[in-house]
Amino acid sequence: PQASIRAQQLCSSHFIYNFKMKLAVIATLAAGASAFAPTSQVSRSTALNAKKAAPKLQYVPCISTDDLPAPGSATSGVAGGLAICIAVDEKGSVFALGDKCPPVNQPLSFGKVEGGTIADPVLGTKFDLKTGDVVSWCPSGLGKLIGGIFDPVGVPVYPVQAKGKSVNVQVDVNYKANFEADYWSGILDAQGKSNGKYY
């Protein structure tokens, strides 16, 4: 009789354990699904948002001509608040591309330049130097694993010119401010001041 009662207790505790595990799995799946469920859009037209400026293309200094990389390589710079990859092909031609390499945004400026392309140093994706279009999407082992989840996306390209001792890149000088215009700038602003400036 005691063995029978003990067996019933074990079955009962096993049933409760299984039920709790299934409930935990279902709750996790529901939470994961709700993270990707469509939500209603909240209006962002309050007076707290900054006004957006019209796009303004202009050549701005990015790097010094002394910092130009050797043919077949690249370096990074900043122009108008944007991360820029300055690449030099084997013939010495200079190109400017966005320095965020899709799909995981590592710096493109660490890539190798050859055959009119620059290759992502981690996933192996090759981008055309003139257009920024994808030539080969994530061909490496790790790249196939990660790149298979995402659609191929190119990188932006920018006109570039040398002027004096500076390599200038044509960018929208209002892009960064327009991107940040959707962020609230108030007393609890992460930068510390109500006008969005640093202390």
Side-chain angles (χ1 to χ4, degrees), residues 36-89:
F36 296 100
T39 60
S40 62
Q41 284 286 37
V42 177
S43 173
R44 294 182 180 226
S45 62
T46 68
L48 295 174
N49 287 346
K51 294 187 181 188
K52 291 189 178 185
K56 182 179 177 185
L57 294 177
Q58 160 177 340
Y59 279 95
V60 293
C62 184
I63 64 170
S64 166
T65 53
D66 296 334
D67 295 330
L68 272 172
S73 58
T75 191
S76 62
V78 175
L82 300 174
I84 303 291
C85 168
I86 300 292
V88 179
D89 69 7

Side-chain angles (χ1 to χ4, degrees), residues 50 52 174-185 191 198:
K52 291 189 178 185
N174 292 332
Y175 180 83
K176 184 178 179 195
N178 286 339
F179 178 79
E180 292 173 349
D182 288 333
Y183 291 97
W184 178 63
S185 175
Q191 295 178 351
Y198 292 100

